[in-house]
Amino acid sequence: MLSPYRLCPCSLQTLGEPPASAQPTALLLAAVKALTAPALESFRAAEEALRATVSQHSARMERVGDVVGEIFTWLDDVEDPRARRAALGTIALLARAHPRDVVPACVAHALPWERGARELWKALGEEAQLSRHVLHQLLDKLRKSHREERSRSVSLAAMDTLYEIFFLWGYREAILQMFPHLLFLCVRQVQHVLDLRLPGTWTASQKSSPEGSSRLSPLSTSLEAVKTLFSMPRYWKEFASIQLQQGWEMIASRHHFSRGVGLIARTMVEHRNPQVPVVLREAIAIVQSREEEEALREIALTFCTESPSILSTVTKSDLQEHLMEWTQDNNPAIRRLCLRGLASVLFWPGKMENNERNIPRLLFQALKYLESSQPSIRHSAALFIGETIHHFVYLLAETVSADGIFHLCEGYLGRHHHKTNMDPVQQ
């Protein structure tokens, strides 16, 4: 705990001339605590002292994050709205000189919206650099909390703040710039809340609440955040299309979440959303990263396999190479989605380089997945092999030897028949 230079209200008139030994941080905290002085003259003197201290000494202040944390602790017991506004204004001023210290402290404290948080976040959003820093910190908090089972309250608080910030105009440009990151992590938060199985998360409220997320359940807050991303002026067609196809209800359902994610991806492509190229690039980066959470990788992979528009980001052959590489992933859900994606990509329009080489190789590599212990993977592999043989029978006849065809048919028919006729307990 920092030891502030103590100053009683009766000596506020001397704030302009502090002792030489007084540190700026100590003087700042003393002035903050003097804001609760009952006399208006004393309050104004403390307020002026705060402005002067920040203006003259903020650049050389040390341990600013600790100072801000102490101000927040002090605010927990302060009801005077005048004092609260002045203290929060001081935090916003400090953020301009020390964004890397102040913004994390603000995010960590999770000040209730009705107790002045709106004014603080609004002030931080007035500068482009600060608004981006705020969003980065909140997303980082969400990402970390998804990996830690005991961070439930952290993820919910971060989502509450993020949702409310979406309604502040100062963040609009930063939201558009960071749309892919926001989209993936907000969609993941919906799934995260569903996995928590909190009371009241079976259904989500359809009412938006820009005045305060405390009126919404955790599931509704997360869902409304995703919907708000598509409430941007240029994205209303996507929002309406998803609404008409009950996409919002899908992603708010444990049983239909994946279908809802796929619907969002397809709708963005169908309406030529300008974010599609950067969203797809981000999706590929997430799937390729072994540091990302598995559930987030699955969501990103769904975006990679739902539409031919990804071919504007990578070639068809490169995408197939990625999908074949990802079929070796340790995550069974990733392997299953890749096999389904391969079945879809083969029939997308567009040129595929070295087609004669790729298709037989993909088929023979897919055979081994018929031996998987996961029924969903066996099903996806069988679907891929069956559809490929059906649609490319003439190509296979021309490019694969008779022995190869026999081996392929024997492997597919024999193994698939064996697996589908096994006792359910053995499967």
Side-chain angles (χ1 to χ4, degrees), residues 34-65:
L35 289 170
T36 54
L40 179 60
E41 182 180 351
S42 298
F43 168 79
R44 287 177 175 170
E47 194 176 33
E48 181 58 36
L50 279 174
R51 283 195 292 265
T53 302
V54 174
S55 175
Q56 297 171 19
H57 306 293
S58 64
R60 61 188 182 91
M61 281 186 180
E62 299 178 352
R63 300 174 62 194
V64 177

PDB file of all heavy atoms in Angstrom, residues 34-65:
ATOM      1  N   ALA A  34      -9.026  14.178  -0.376  1.00  0.00           N
ATOM      2  CA  ALA A  34      -9.587  15.444   0.111  1.00  0.00           C
ATOM      3  C   ALA A  34     -10.822  15.872  -0.669  1.00  0.00           C
ATOM      4  O   ALA A  34     -11.483  16.846  -0.304  1.00  0.00           O
ATOM      5  CB  ALA A  34      -8.521  16.537   0.036  1.00  0.00           C
ATOM      6  N   LEU A  35     -11.158  15.124  -1.734  1.00  0.00           N
ATOM      7  CA  LEU A  35     -12.327  15.482  -2.542  1.00  0.00           C
ATOM      8  C   LEU A  35     -13.636  15.334  -1.774  1.00  0.00           C
ATOM      9  O   LEU A  35     -14.659  15.878  -2.183  1.00  0.00           O
ATOM     10  CB  LEU A  35     -12.379  14.596  -3.805  1.00  0.00           C
ATOM     11  CG  LEU A  35     -11.328  14.873  -4.882  1.00  0.00           C
ATOM     12  CD1 LEU A  35     -11.356  13.771  -5.933  1.00  0.00           C
ATOM     13  CD2 LEU A  35     -11.544  16.239  -5.528  1.00  0.00           C
ATOM     14  N   THR A  36     -13.606  14.575  -0.696  1.00  0.00           N
ATOM     15  CA  THR A  36     -14.836  14.374   0.082  1.00  0.00           C
ATOM     16  C   THR A  36     -15.060  15.468   1.116  1.00  0.00           C
ATOM     17  O   THR A  36     -15.996  15.379   1.925  1.00  0.00           O
ATOM     18  CB  THR A  36     -14.788  13.008   0.793  1.00  0.00           C
ATOM     19  OG1 THR A  36     -13.581  12.928   1.562  1.00  0.00           O
ATOM     20  CG2 THR A  36     -14.833  11.873  -0.213  1.00  0.00           C
ATOM     21  N   ALA A  37     -14.224  16.496   1.108  1.00  0.00           N
ATOM     22  CA  ALA A  37     -14.396  17.609   2.046  1.00  0.00           C
ATOM     23  C   ALA A  37     -15.785  18.224   1.849  1.00  0.00           C
ATOM     24  O   ALA A  37     -16.206  18.473   0.714  1.00  0.00           O
ATOM     25  CB  ALA A  37     -13.317  18.664   1.824  1.00  0.00           C
ATOM     26  N   PRO A  38     -16.509  18.474   2.926  1.00  0.00           N
ATOM     27  CA  PRO A  38     -17.881  18.991   2.788  1.00  0.00           C
ATOM     28  C   PRO A  38     -17.960  20.399   2.213  1.00  0.00           C
ATOM     29  O   PRO A  38     -18.917  20.737   1.522  1.00  0.00           O
ATOM     30  CB  PRO A  38     -18.416  18.928   4.229  1.00  0.00           C
ATOM     31  CG  PRO A  38     -17.196  18.961   5.090  1.00  0.00           C
ATOM     32  CD  PRO A  38     -16.132  18.251   4.336  1.00  0.00           C
ATOM     33  N   ALA A  39     -16.969  21.212   2.486  1.00  0.00           N
ATOM     34  CA  ALA A  39     -17.006  22.601   2.009  1.00  0.00           C
ATOM     35  C   ALA A  39     -16.693  22.669   0.522  1.00  0.00           C
ATOM     36  O   ALA A  39     -15.739  22.036   0.048  1.00  0.00           O
ATOM     37  CB  ALA A  39     -16.009  23.449   2.789  1.00  0.00           C
ATOM     38  N   LEU A  40     -17.493  23.434  -0.221  1.00  0.00           N
ATOM     39  CA  LEU A  40     -17.298  23.566  -1.668  1.00  0.00           C
ATOM     40  C   LEU A  40     -15.928  24.141  -1.975  1.00  0.00           C
ATOM     41  O   LEU A  40     -15.258  23.711  -2.923  1.00  0.00           O
ATOM     42  CB  LEU A  40     -18.393  24.458  -2.261  1.00  0.00           C
ATOM     43  CG  LEU A  40     -18.303  24.704  -3.772  1.00  0.00           C
ATOM     44  CD1 LEU A  40     -18.396  23.382  -4.536  1.00  0.00           C
ATOM     45  CD2 LEU A  40     -19.402  25.662  -4.217  1.00  0.00           C
ATOM     46  N   GLU A  41     -15.483  25.108  -1.167  1.00  0.00           N
ATOM     47  CA  GLU A  41     -14.179  25.738  -1.402  1.00  0.00           C
ATOM     48  C   GLU A  41     -13.059  24.705  -1.273  1.00  0.00           C
ATOM     49  O   GLU A  41     -12.112  24.694  -2.068  1.00  0.00           O
ATOM     50  CB  GLU A  41     -13.967  26.867  -0.401  1.00  0.00           C
ATOM     51  CG  GLU A  41     -12.647  27.616  -0.607  1.00  0.00           C
ATOM     52  CD  GLU A  41     -12.468  28.731   0.403  1.00  0.00           C
ATOM     53  OE1 GLU A  41     -13.414  29.039   1.147  1.00  0.00           O
ATOM     54  OE2 GLU A  41     -11.367  29.299   0.437  1.00  0.00           O
ATOM     55  N   SER A  42     -13.169  23.821  -0.276  1.00  0.00           N
ATOM     56  CA  SER A  42     -12.148  22.786  -0.086  1.00  0.00           C
ATOM     57  C   SER A  42     -12.152  21.794  -1.240  1.00  0.00           C
ATOM     58  O   SER A  42     -11.098  21.342  -1.701  1.00  0.00           O
ATOM     59  CB  SER A  42     -12.397  22.056   1.232  1.00  0.00           C
ATOM     60  OG  SER A  42     -12.287  22.940   2.319  1.00  0.00           O
ATOM     61  N   PHE A  43     -13.362  21.435  -1.689  1.00  0.00           N
ATOM     62  CA  PHE A  43     -13.459  20.516  -2.824  1.00  0.00           C
ATOM     63  C   PHE A  43     -12.791  21.104  -4.057  1.00  0.00           C
ATOM     64  O   PHE A  43     -12.025  20.432  -4.753  1.00  0.00           O
ATOM     65  CB  PHE A  43     -14.920  20.191  -3.117  1.00  0.00           C
ATOM     66  CG  PHE A  43     -15.118  19.489  -4.441  1.00  0.00           C
ATOM     67  CD1 PHE A  43     -14.863  18.134  -4.575  1.00  0.00           C
ATOM     68  CD2 PHE A  43     -15.538  20.200  -5.570  1.00  0.00           C
ATOM     69  CE1 PHE A  43     -15.023  17.494  -5.794  1.00  0.00           C
ATOM     70  CE2 PHE A  43     -15.693  19.563  -6.784  1.00  0.00           C
ATOM     71  CZ  PHE A  43     -15.442  18.207  -6.899  1.00  0.00           C
ATOM     72  N   ARG A  44     -13.057  22.371  -4.335  1.00  0.00           N
ATOM     73  CA  ARG A  44     -12.471  23.016  -5.523  1.00  0.00           C
ATOM     74  C   ARG A  44     -10.967  23.112  -5.418  1.00  0.00           C
ATOM     75  O   ARG A  44     -10.253  22.969  -6.413  1.00  0.00           O
ATOM     76  CB  ARG A  44     -13.098  24.397  -5.716  1.00  0.00           C
ATOM     77  CG  ARG A  44     -14.541  24.326  -6.220  1.00  0.00           C
ATOM     78  CD  ARG A  44     -15.157  25.707  -6.334  1.00  0.00           C
ATOM     79  NE  ARG A  44     -16.497  25.638  -6.932  1.00  0.00           N
ATOM     80  CZ  ARG A  44     -17.335  26.652  -6.976  1.00  0.00           C
ATOM     81  NH1 ARG A  44     -16.992  27.845  -6.465  1.00  0.00           N
ATOM     82  NH2 ARG A  44     -18.533  26.510  -7.543  1.00  0.00           N
ATOM     83  N   ALA A  45     -10.467  23.346  -4.213  1.00  0.00           N
ATOM     84  CA  ALA A  45      -9.019  23.402  -4.029  1.00  0.00           C
ATOM     85  C   ALA A  45      -8.392  22.039  -4.300  1.00  0.00           C
ATOM     86  O   ALA A  45      -7.339  21.940  -4.951  1.00  0.00           O
ATOM     87  CB  ALA A  45      -8.701  23.864  -2.608  1.00  0.00           C
ATOM     88  N   ALA A  46      -9.037  20.967  -3.820  1.00  0.00           N
ATOM     89  CA  ALA A  46      -8.529  19.624  -4.055  1.00  0.00           C
ATOM     90  C   ALA A  46      -8.575  19.268  -5.538  1.00  0.00           C
ATOM     91  O   ALA A  46      -7.646  18.659  -6.083  1.00  0.00           O
ATOM     92  CB  ALA A  46      -9.340  18.616  -3.248  1.00  0.00           C
ATOM     93  N   GLU A  47      -9.656  19.662  -6.192  1.00  0.00           N
ATOM     94  CA  GLU A  47      -9.803  19.402  -7.622  1.00  0.00           C
ATOM     95  C   GLU A  47      -8.728  20.104  -8.422  1.00  0.00           C
ATOM     96  O   GLU A  47      -8.127  19.533  -9.346  1.00  0.00           O
ATOM     97  CB  GLU A  47     -11.195  19.841  -8.071  1.00  0.00           C
ATOM     98  CG  GLU A  47     -11.601  19.341  -9.436  1.00  0.00           C
ATOM     99  CD  GLU A  47     -13.026  19.743  -9.777  1.00  0.00           C
ATOM    100  OE1 GLU A  47     -13.471  20.832  -9.337  1.00  0.00           O
ATOM    101  OE2 GLU A  47     -13.700  18.973 -10.488  1.00  0.00           O
ATOM    102  N   GLU A  48      -8.452  21.351  -8.067  1.00  0.00           N
ATOM    103  CA  GLU A  48      -7.418  22.115  -8.750  1.00  0.00           C
ATOM    104  C   GLU A  48      -6.038  21.510  -8.502  1.00  0.00           C
ATOM    105  O   GLU A  48      -5.198  21.444  -9.403  1.00  0.00           O
ATOM    106  CB  GLU A  48      -7.444  23.571  -8.264  1.00  0.00           C
ATOM    107  CG  GLU A  48      -6.415  24.473  -8.923  1.00  0.00           C
ATOM    108  CD  GLU A  48      -6.556  24.518 -10.443  1.00  0.00           C
ATOM    109  OE1 GLU A  48      -7.694  24.473 -10.946  1.00  0.00           O
ATOM    110  OE2 GLU A  48      -5.510  24.606 -11.128  1.00  0.00           O
ATOM    111  N   ALA A  49      -5.829  21.045  -7.258  1.00  0.00           N
ATOM    112  CA  ALA A  49      -4.551  20.409  -6.940  1.00  0.00           C
ATOM    113  C   ALA A  49      -4.344  19.141  -7.767  1.00  0.00           C
ATOM    114  O   ALA A  49      -3.232  18.847  -8.210  1.00  0.00           O
ATOM    115  CB  ALA A  49      -4.490  20.081  -5.454  1.00  0.00           C
ATOM    116  N   LEU A  50      -5.419  18.384  -7.974  1.00  0.00           N
ATOM    117  CA  LEU A  50      -5.328  17.179  -8.801  1.00  0.00           C
ATOM    118  C   LEU A  50      -4.912  17.522 -10.230  1.00  0.00           C
ATOM    119  O   LEU A  50      -4.013  16.887 -10.795  1.00  0.00           O
ATOM    120  CB  LEU A  50      -6.678  16.451  -8.821  1.00  0.00           C
ATOM    121  CG  LEU A  50      -7.016  15.565  -7.622  1.00  0.00           C
ATOM    122  CD1 LEU A  50      -8.436  15.045  -7.739  1.00  0.00           C
ATOM    123  CD2 LEU A  50      -6.041  14.410  -7.528  1.00  0.00           C
ATOM    124  N   ARG A  51      -5.576  18.493 -10.798  1.00  0.00           N
ATOM    125  CA  ARG A  51      -5.255  18.882 -12.182  1.00  0.00           C
ATOM    126  C   ARG A  51      -3.805  19.343 -12.293  1.00  0.00           C
ATOM    127  O   ARG A  51      -3.094  18.996 -13.238  1.00  0.00           O
ATOM    128  CB  ARG A  51      -6.209  19.974 -12.666  1.00  0.00           C
ATOM    129  CG  ARG A  51      -7.589  19.459 -13.047  1.00  0.00           C
ATOM    130  CD  ARG A  51      -8.352  20.495 -13.857  1.00  0.00           C
ATOM    131  NE  ARG A  51      -8.692  21.641 -13.038  1.00  0.00           N
ATOM    132  CZ  ARG A  51      -9.856  21.799 -12.416  1.00  0.00           C
ATOM    133  NH1 ARG A  51     -10.780  20.860 -12.514  1.00  0.00           N
ATOM    134  NH2 ARG A  51     -10.098  22.878 -11.692  1.00  0.00           N
ATOM    135  N   ALA A  52      -3.377  20.134 -11.321  1.00  0.00           N
ATOM    136  CA  ALA A  52      -2.011  20.658 -11.361  1.00  0.00           C
ATOM    137  C   ALA A  52      -0.984  19.540 -11.205  1.00  0.00           C
ATOM    138  O   ALA A  52       0.032  19.504 -11.915  1.00  0.00           O
ATOM    139  CB  ALA A  52      -1.825  21.691 -10.257  1.00  0.00           C
ATOM    140  N   THR A  53      -1.251  18.608 -10.299  1.00  0.00           N
ATOM    141  CA  THR A  53      -0.311  17.511 -10.065  1.00  0.00           C
ATOM    142  C   THR A  53      -0.175  16.631 -11.306  1.00  0.00           C
ATOM    143  O   THR A  53       0.930  16.274 -11.718  1.00  0.00           O
ATOM    144  CB  THR A  53      -0.777  16.655  -8.872  1.00  0.00           C
ATOM    145  OG1 THR A  53      -0.892  17.485  -7.716  1.00  0.00           O
ATOM    146  CG2 THR A  53       0.213  15.535  -8.595  1.00  0.00           C
ATOM    147  N   VAL A  54      -1.304  16.285 -11.916  1.00  0.00           N
ATOM    148  CA  VAL A  54      -1.266  15.450 -13.116  1.00  0.00           C
ATOM    149  C   VAL A  54      -0.584  16.191 -14.257  1.00  0.00           C
ATOM    150  O   VAL A  54       0.241  15.626 -14.986  1.00  0.00           O
ATOM    151  CB  VAL A  54      -2.687  15.016 -13.520  1.00  0.00           C
ATOM    152  CG1 VAL A  54      -2.663  14.283 -14.855  1.00  0.00           C
ATOM    153  CG2 VAL A  54      -3.291  14.116 -12.454  1.00  0.00           C
ATOM    154  N   SER A  55      -0.917  17.457 -14.422  1.00  0.00           N
ATOM    155  CA  SER A  55      -0.353  18.247 -15.514  1.00  0.00           C
ATOM    156  C   SER A  55       1.156  18.397 -15.390  1.00  0.00           C
ATOM    157  O   SER A  55       1.887  18.283 -16.379  1.00  0.00           O
ATOM    158  CB  SER A  55      -1.015  19.629 -15.542  1.00  0.00           C
ATOM    159  OG  SER A  55      -0.408  20.452 -16.502  1.00  0.00           O
ATOM    160  N   GLN A  56       1.633  18.612 -14.177  1.00  0.00           N
ATOM    161  CA  GLN A  56       3.052  18.920 -13.984  1.00  0.00           C
ATOM    162  C   GLN A  56       3.915  17.686 -13.747  1.00  0.00           C
ATOM    163  O   GLN A  56       5.102  17.689 -14.083  1.00  0.00           O
ATOM    164  CB  GLN A  56       3.212  19.881 -12.791  1.00  0.00           C
ATOM    165  CG  GLN A  56       2.546  21.232 -12.998  1.00  0.00           C
ATOM    166  CD  GLN A  56       2.540  22.082 -11.734  1.00  0.00           C
ATOM    167  OE1 GLN A  56       3.322  21.840 -10.813  1.00  0.00           O
ATOM    168  NE2 GLN A  56       1.660  23.078 -11.679  1.00  0.00           N
ATOM    169  N   HIS A  57       3.329  16.649 -13.166  1.00  0.00           N
ATOM    170  CA  HIS A  57       4.169  15.541 -12.716  1.00  0.00           C
ATOM    171  C   HIS A  57       3.791  14.167 -13.268  1.00  0.00           C
ATOM    172  O   HIS A  57       4.476  13.189 -12.951  1.00  0.00           O
ATOM    173  CB  HIS A  57       4.121  15.461 -11.179  1.00  0.00           C
ATOM    174  CG  HIS A  57       4.478  16.739 -10.497  1.00  0.00           C
ATOM    175  ND1 HIS A  57       5.744  17.288 -10.541  1.00  0.00           N
ATOM    176  CD2 HIS A  57       3.724  17.603  -9.749  1.00  0.00           C
ATOM    177  CE1 HIS A  57       5.769  18.413  -9.849  1.00  0.00           C
ATOM    178  NE2 HIS A  57       4.547  18.629  -9.359  1.00  0.00           N
ATOM    179  N   SER A  58       2.742  14.050 -14.085  1.00  0.00           N
ATOM    180  CA  SER A  58       2.289  12.714 -14.501  1.00  0.00           C
ATOM    181  C   SER A  58       3.355  11.945 -15.272  1.00  0.00           C
ATOM    182  O   SER A  58       3.476  10.726 -15.132  1.00  0.00           O
ATOM    183  CB  SER A  58       1.025  12.833 -15.355  1.00  0.00           C
ATOM    184  OG  SER A  58       1.293  13.537 -16.554  1.00  0.00           O
ATOM    185  N   ALA A  59       4.163  12.668 -16.065  1.00  0.00           N
ATOM    186  CA  ALA A  59       5.162  11.982 -16.894  1.00  0.00           C
ATOM    187  C   ALA A  59       6.217  11.275 -16.059  1.00  0.00           C
ATOM    188  O   ALA A  59       6.765  10.249 -16.473  1.00  0.00           O
ATOM    189  CB  ALA A  59       5.822  12.980 -17.840  1.00  0.00           C
ATOM    190  N   ARG A  60       6.530  11.781 -14.849  1.00  0.00           N
ATOM    191  CA  ARG A  60       7.569  11.166 -14.032  1.00  0.00           C
ATOM    192  C   ARG A  60       7.029  10.387 -12.841  1.00  0.00           C
ATOM    193  O   ARG A  60       7.796   9.976 -11.971  1.00  0.00           O
ATOM    194  CB  ARG A  60       8.559  12.224 -13.561  1.00  0.00           C
ATOM    195  CG  ARG A  60       7.992  13.324 -12.701  1.00  0.00           C
ATOM    196  CD  ARG A  60       9.044  14.406 -12.469  1.00  0.00           C
ATOM    197  NE  ARG A  60       8.555  15.468 -11.596  1.00  0.00           N
ATOM    198  CZ  ARG A  60       8.701  15.451 -10.278  1.00  0.00           C
ATOM    199  NH1 ARG A  60       9.305  14.446  -9.685  1.00  0.00           N
ATOM    200  NH2 ARG A  60       8.235  16.453  -9.547  1.00  0.00           N
ATOM    201  N   MET A  61       5.726  10.169 -12.823  1.00  0.00           N
ATOM    202  CA  MET A  61       5.151   9.373 -11.737  1.00  0.00           C
ATOM    203  C   MET A  61       5.543   7.906 -11.887  1.00  0.00           C
ATOM    204  O   MET A  61       5.665   7.387 -12.992  1.00  0.00           O
ATOM    205  CB  MET A  61       3.622   9.483 -11.741  1.00  0.00           C
ATOM    206  CG  MET A  61       3.101  10.752 -11.125  1.00  0.00           C
ATOM    207  SD  MET A  61       1.286  10.716 -11.010  1.00  0.00           S
ATOM    208  CE  MET A  61       1.004  12.324 -10.249  1.00  0.00           C
ATOM    209  N   GLU A  62       5.732   7.245 -10.757  1.00  0.00           N
ATOM    210  CA  GLU A  62       6.071   5.835 -10.748  1.00  0.00           C
ATOM    211  C   GLU A  62       4.924   5.032 -10.143  1.00  0.00           C
ATOM    212  O   GLU A  62       4.084   5.551  -9.429  1.00  0.00           O
ATOM    213  CB  GLU A  62       7.360   5.604  -9.941  1.00  0.00           C
ATOM    214  CG  GLU A  62       8.571   6.335 -10.512  1.00  0.00           C
ATOM    215  CD  GLU A  62       9.803   6.135  -9.662  1.00  0.00           C
ATOM    216  OE1 GLU A  62       9.659   5.560  -8.548  1.00  0.00           O
ATOM    217  OE2 GLU A  62      10.899   6.548 -10.089  1.00  0.00           O
ATOM    218  N   ARG A  63       4.901   3.740 -10.472  1.00  0.00           N
ATOM    219  CA  ARG A  63       3.882   2.814  -9.940  1.00  0.00           C
ATOM    220  C   ARG A  63       2.465   3.368 -10.147  1.00  0.00           C
ATOM    221  O   ARG A  63       1.623   3.343  -9.262  1.00  0.00           O
ATOM    222  CB  ARG A  63       4.144   2.557  -8.462  1.00  0.00           C
ATOM    223  CG  ARG A  63       5.490   1.930  -8.170  1.00  0.00           C
ATOM    224  CD  ARG A  63       5.750   1.832  -6.687  1.00  0.00           C
ATOM    225  NE  ARG A  63       4.762   0.988  -6.026  1.00  0.00           N
ATOM    226  CZ  ARG A  63       4.602   0.960  -4.709  1.00  0.00           C
ATOM    227  NH1 ARG A  63       5.320   1.736  -3.927  1.00  0.00           N
ATOM    228  NH2 ARG A  63       3.702   0.153  -4.178  1.00  0.00           N
ATOM    229  N   VAL A  64       2.224   3.862 -11.352  1.00  0.00           N
ATOM    230  CA  VAL A  64       0.937   4.496 -11.644  1.00  0.00           C
ATOM    231  C   VAL A  64      -0.206   3.498 -11.535  1.00  0.00           C
ATOM    232  O   VAL A  64      -1.306   3.839 -11.082  1.00  0.00           O
ATOM    233  CB  VAL A  64       0.971   5.157 -13.046  1.00  0.00           C
ATOM    234  CG1 VAL A  64      -0.393   5.751 -13.390  1.00  0.00           C
ATOM    235  CG2 VAL A  64       2.036   6.232 -13.095  1.00  0.00           C
ATOM    236  N   GLY A  65       0.047   2.251 -11.945  1.00  0.00           N
ATOM    237  CA  GLY A  65      -0.994   1.239 -11.828  1.00  0.00           C
ATOM    238  C   GLY A  65      -1.436   1.043 -10.385  1.00  0.00           C
ATOM    239  O   GLY A  65      -2.628   0.899 -10.092  1.00  0.00           O
TER     240      GLY A  65
END
